[in-house]
Amino acid sequence: MTDRHDYHIDGTPPETPDNDAAAGAWPETSVVGTRQPKVDGYERVSGTAVYPHDVSLPGMLHGAILRCPHAHARVLKIDTSAAEAMPGVQVVITGSTPGADIPWYTRGGQSQSTLFDPHCRHEGEEVAAVAAETPYQAFDAIRAITVDYEELPFVIDDAEAMADGAPEVHQGGNVVGEPQIRERGDIEAGFAAADAVVERTFRTECQIHAPLEPHGSVARWDGNKLTVWDSTQGVFSVQQAMAGAFQLPTSNVRVIGHYMGGGFGAKLETGKYTVMAALMARMTARPVKIFLPREDCFTSTGNRPGNTMKIKIGAAADGTLTAIEYESLGSTGAYRYNAGTATLPTYLYRCDNVRTVDTTVYTNAGKARPMRAPGVPQADWALEQAMDELAAALDLDPMAFRLQNIPTELQNEARPPFTSTGLAACLTRGAEAFGWTPDAERRSSEGHLRRGVGFAAGMWFYPGGPPSTVIVKLFADGSANVNMGASDIGTGTKTWAAMIVAEELGVPLDRIQVEHADTGTTQFATPSGGSKTVPSDSPAVLAAARSVKNQLLGFAADQLETSVDDLELDDLQIVSESDPEQRLALAEVQMLRRRGLLLGTGYRDPNPEETVTFPFCAQFCEVEVDTLTGEIRILRFLGAHDSGRVLNRLTFDNQVFGGIAMGIGLGVTEERVLDRQTGKMVNANFHDYKVPTMLDVAAEHECLPIEHPDHEFNTTGAKGLGEPATIPTAAAVGNAVANALGVRVTDAPLTPRTILRFLSEQGKEA
Ligand code: MOS
């Protein structure tokens, strides 16, 4: 089955929206899909929103963590006596403190470390912690702790970590597990059938999440009940981890994360700082707050691994891809994580012969964590630039080349169809909106300021699904509460939840309050990540609102002695269609008055089984490169995104612009720099680590939703957006720069130094 729900290859919509037939299809909307500012926008900009960083409790102590200054060392001896005697210091903890021997980095029952591991495998490993009356006292006290370290040989380079005799981060060699191999078809036959083959090695550097709010928590005990305020993407997963660390029933732990200042994947894991705060709170019988200094967020709270990606692709003269061979090497840092990138090359295009190998190595650096589309923007950097090269080698238009290889089913053995595939539409309609044309005219090669345009395609691999439970309450005065466990990680979760309730019940947005991200008072949700909050939780919100509506109409039907089918909910009045004189205001519904409120519970139903649902995207950009200085100016950007239904057009746009900014970071400005002499990060601050500013992103940017509600997938028809928004960005810049220079710069970030190096190596300096 092909093209079943797809836009045509030229981007025109399907004639029959199959959606109407799908069960639970959502009809015309009047609130959903409009541009709505965040329901908590005032709180956020006025400073009245209480982020975990703002939490201040009576009697609260402030914690600080002493970290290993070496890339690789063993703690021989710790002397905390001077710190303990300092003013304001209430407690000092180390690995030998009773209760501190907590296993860490555990998988499959095996732990790689402990809360305070005397074997420090990277700069920034936790050695001791202090709680004092003020933050300054705490930071002074950790400096008074004396530690004898035995410094060990270290390795910080991915390739060097693989070499014989490299220092071992863990016993047994630095390769993590076995290299992961995926294979289909016959790769040799595929290359034999190719009329052109391109082989290149691409490199991306390690990127740091750099959320504006640092990582941190406040912990307070009431008897054996623990309450934690945490800057997290998922309160229920922190609850689980804390219950495990302190051997408590899950119900004894309450985790609250009403606001949080960004995570991008770095706040999916429970932090050691959370456990340390709780431990010191229990020892002192006072609340303890630990928020990390910015430097610690750079060294010790995760990153997107740097990757070296060797790609070889071949195609026939007519543009049919015949073979893709792909090898990726990435570093997880000091503890186990998958630094693989091969998913995208395996699945983005239809191709019968594919072989990919993912190798992950340990190095003496901070552990990698999931970061906005883990592995995918790196692979896109390699694959989509190689696709442009191959199109050029075959003298094909790079757009037509891609359109010829669009998949409408997952490229694995079973070939399950996608419920919707907007990839072709993202490319063609994006090109039209951006004004992209295949001719060389677009490139101006006069003087030292060279302009170029480029684009790249992408897809994302995580659809979302159950579990999710949501409660909606409707009061007799026509106001409503939404109660859901999901964290709003800055994306506007609360706002679309309110919009869905407004849509279904007719309650104005300013009369809806959203309670969320509190394990003590809200419903179960999985962490917000994987671009799955909308597709996982929006159907549960809709189901809860529908439950309220059904109850309301049922009670009204009884009262009016008519049938439910005869009733409509219109402007918070229940109206009889057969006899418009028959109407009830909410406050006149007796059962509502008797109960005080109507409460509806909604659950997320499972996804369909025989199909697969993914979001798709394509981004376009125009750049100007100065061949004298190597500087890049990003002039224009357009993101075309098939994420199914758009719930809130304003936050949809914002998500796309934010993703593009982050992708410009990966492609142009950001890179963790480790010193080869010491293994230490030399740019662990916002001055030297260059997150893009307003001057680095495009002055003109546009978001083009390819809106195609996917009701075969779920009842709201929405797919994810957060990660797709950053997937093709860097590759689009790479292609634009190659278009401008006529030189392929394979190494990200495209700093002036790198641009000039490639220009001089390829003899094209101005
Ligand atoms: Mo993310 S890496 O889905 O928080």
Side-chain angles (χ1 to χ4, degrees):
M1 233 197 283
T2 54
D3 290 348
R4 41 193 250 143
H5 301 251
D6 193 14
Y7 279 75
H8 296 289
I9 218 81
D10 65 1
T12 52
E15 293 85 6
T16 10
D18 331 53
N19 303 331
D20 294 352
W26 206 359
E28 294 284 295
T29 61
S30 58
V31 181
V32 165
T34 61
R35 301 178 75 87
Q36 296 294 339
K38 287 182 180 171
V39 291
D40 53 5
Y42 178 81
E43 288 81 351
R44 287 175 184 271
V45 300
S46 64
T48 55
V50 179
Y51 286 72
H53 195 278
D54 300 320
V55 169
S56 185
L57 303 175
M60 187 177 80
L61 299 173
H62 297 265
I65 299 170
L66 176 67
R67 294 174 183 275
C68 176
H70 307 295
H72 198 188
R74 191 171 297 280
V75 174
L76 301 177
K77 190 163 157 272
I78 307 179
D79 182 353
T80 59
S81 53
E84 278 159 16
M86 286 176 70
V89 172
Q90 296 298 322
V91 67
V92 182
I93 59 173
T94 66
S96 56
T97 303
D101 187 22
I102 296 171
W104 212 262
Y105 303 124
T106 303
R107 202 179 65 173
Q110 292 221 318
S111 301
Q112 288 195 299
S113 187
T114 56
L115 192 62
F116 297 102
D117 190 337
H119 183 175
C120 300
R121 298 177 180 87
H122 66 88
E123 179 198 18
E125 285 251 61
E126 294 79 354
V127 173
V130 169
E133 299 290 342
T134 73
Y136 309 101
Q137 290 171 334
F139 283 104
D140 283 347
I142 57 170
R143 283 189 200 100
I145 297 173
T146 50
V147 184
D148 291 343
Y149 293 101
E150 176 197 354
E151 285 189 58
L152 302 171
F154 62 85
V155 61
I156 53 168
D157 180 88
D158 309 358
E160 287 169 17
M162 305 261 289
D164 284 345
E168 287 194 346
V169 182
H170 297 274
Q171 264 186 1
N174 290 330
V175 178
V176 182
E178 292 291 317
Q180 290 178 14
I181 300 173
R182 283 187 257 199
E183 231 165 346
R184 65 172 182 260
D186 179 342
I187 194 79
E188 298 308 326
F191 283 118
D195 292 303
V197 172
V198 161
E199 194 170 359
R200 294 267 189 174
T201 299
F202 291 88
R203 173 78 197 164
T204 57
E205 291 305 322
C206 177
Q207 185 181 25
I208 306 291
H209 303 76
L212 217 47
E213 182 185 36
H215 296 241
S217 318
V218 178
R220 184 187 74 195
W221 291 86
D222 303 281
N224 66 347
K225 284 184 294 181
L226 172 63
T227 303
V228 172
W229 288 261
D230 191 26
S231 184
T232 178
Q233 294 175 235
V235 289
F236 286 92
S237 62
V238 176
Q239 177 191 41
Q240 200 76 47
M242 296 303 280
F246 291 93
Q247 303 291 304
L248 294 167
T250 305
S251 57
N252 283 33
V253 182
R254 179 177 177 188
V255 180
I256 303 169
H258 291 154
Y259 289 92
M260 61 90 69
F264 313 108
K267 291 175 184 168
L268 289 166
E269 278 180 26
T270 300
K272 286 187 176 182
Y273 47 84
T274 315
V275 173
M276 291 175 193
L279 192 57
M280 293 194 290
R282 196 172 61 181
M283 293 169 76
T284 57
R286 290 171 67 176
V288 173
K289 177 178 191 170
I290 298 183
F291 266 82
L292 304 191
R294 181 60 63 187
E295 292 78 4
D296 297 358
C297 296
F298 276 99
T299 60
S300 306
T301 62
N303 55 71
R304 180 194 296 287
N307 285 93
T308 303
M309 296 156 289
K310 210 174 129 190
I311 186 166
K312 182 179 172 189
I313 53 174
D318 70 351
T320 306
L321 268 173
T322 58
I324 301 174
E325 192 174 15
Y326 180 88
E327 274 178 47
S328 165
L329 173 65
S331 166
T332 174
Y335 296 99
R336 188 170 36 213
Y337 174 73
N338 183 353
T341 63
T343 312
L344 186 87
T346 308
Y347 296 123
L348 182 59
Y349 293 113
R350 212 170 50 216
C351 183
D352 290 335
N353 309 300
V354 176
R355 183 172 197 274
T356 65
V357 184
D358 265 323
T359 305
T360 300
V361 292
Y362 292 116
T363 52
N364 293 110
K367 178 185 163 300
R369 289 186 184 183
M371 179 166 173
R372 203 169 189 172
V376 186
Q378 300 100 300
D380 206 282
W381 171 257
L383 176 64
E384 283 295 271
Q385 294 201 73
M387 286 292 283
D388 263 25
E389 291 285 293
L390 186 52
L394 288 165
D395 203 19
L396 290 171
D397 160 19
M399 176 65 67
F401 177 42
R402 286 173 176 82
L403 290 175
Q404 185 154 345
N405 296 288
I406 300 284
T408 51
E409 50 195 20
L410 185 66
Q411 300 294 292
N412 66 7
E413 290 293 312
R415 305 269 165 149
F418 295 135
T419 52
S420 55
T421 320
L423 182 53
C426 288
L427 285 163
T428 55
R429 292 176 57 198
E432 189 188 356
F434 186 78
W436 187 89
T437 52
D439 41 88
E441 296 283 306
R442 63 182 185 265
R443 169 143 59 97
S444 107
S445 300
E446 302 296 312
H448 62 98
L449 295 178
R450 309 275 172 86
R451 287 198 176 190
V453 298
F455 70 94
M459 72 195 283
W460 170 240
F461 306 94
Y462 195 60
S468 174
T469 304
V470 170
I471 284 178
V472 169
K473 300 176 205 165
L474 178 68
F475 297 92
D477 71 345
S479 64
N481 275 19
V482 190
N483 184 299
M484 62 194 297
S487 298
D488 186 338
I489 57 178
T491 56
T493 303
K494 292 164 76 178
T495 306
W496 59 249
M499 289 169 75
I500 289 171
V501 173
E503 186 73 56
E504 283 301 299
L505 299 179
V507 178
L509 275 175
D510 62 3
R511 294 177 72 87
I512 300 173
Q513 293 298 322
V514 183
E515 287 149 11
H516 78 306
D518 179 342
T519 65
T521 60
T522 67
Q523 312 316 306
F524 187 84
T526 48
S528 291
S531 304
K532 61 139 199 55
T533 313
V534 159
S536 297
D537 298 313
S538 69
V541 177
L542 180 57
R546 282 187 174 161
S547 164
V548 167
K549 188 172 175 175
N550 291 340
Q551 293 173 52
L552 183 66
L553 295 182
F555 293 138
D558 287 348
Q559 198 173 326
L560 295 171
E561 296 179 350
T562 181
S563 76
V564 168
D565 296 340
D566 183 42
L567 296 179
E568 284 272 314
L569 184 59
D570 180 20
D571 210 9
L572 292 174
Q573 300 245 324
I574 295 118
V575 187
S576 159
E577 288 191 312
S578 59
D579 177 6
E581 295 294 292
Q582 290 245 65
R583 54 173 58 222
L584 287 175
L586 280 189
E588 293 168 331
V589 179
Q590 286 162 1
M591 279 303 281
L592 178 48
R593 279 167 50 199
R594 206 172 292 161
R595 292 186 178 178
L597 59 78
L598 289 184
L599 180 149
T601 307
Y603 297 97
R604 173 60 155 87
D605 289 330
N607 293 331
E609 276 176 19
E610 313 281 312
T611 54
V612 170
T613 302
F614 292 144
F616 298 90
C617 53
Q619 293 180 352
F620 297 76
C621 75
E622 180 171 6
V623 302
E624 182 177 87
V625 189
D626 186 329
T627 56
L628 293 178
T629 64
E631 284 173 295
I632 297 180
R633 278 209 307 148
I634 313 255
L635 304 172
R636 291 198 295 143
F637 236 105
L638 179 140
H641 287 266
D642 162 28
S643 290
R645 183 190 296 279
V646 176
L647 295 180
N648 181 350
R649 181 57 203 271
L650 181 61
T651 51
F652 193 97
D653 284 4
N654 291 344
Q655 187 71 266
V656 169
F657 301 148
I660 288 173
M662 192 171 254
I664 288 172
L666 177 72
V668 184
T669 65
E670 295 181 38
E671 114 185 74
R672 178 185 73 183
V673 180
L674 300 179
D675 176 38
R676 290 189 62 83
Q677 304 299 319
T678 61
K680 290 160 72 76
M681 183 172 176
V682 296
N683 60 341
N685 59 69
F686 275 142
H687 180 270
D688 299 313
Y689 183 89
K690 302 289 188 189
V691 174
T693 67
M694 292 305 280
L695 294 175
D696 301 302
V697 300
E700 265 181 69
H701 52 198
E702 189 180 343
C703 167
L704 178 71
I706 306 298
E707 193 169 1
H708 182 49
D710 188 339
H711 283 296
E712 187 175 356
F713 172 44
N714 70 44
T715 52
T716 61
K719 306 193 281 186
L721 176 64
E723 338 226 19
T726 205
I727 286 171
T729 308
V733 176
N735 281 334
V737 167
N739 181 238
L741 298 178
V743 168
R744 177 68 56 186
V745 185
T746 53
D747 295 354
L750 299 170
T751 56
R753 193 181 57 212
T754 299
I755 297 264
L756 292 178
R757 173 163 64 86
F758 275 77
L759 280 174
S760 83
E761 279 170 9
Q762 300 188 32
K764 298 222 182 179
E765 32 330 20

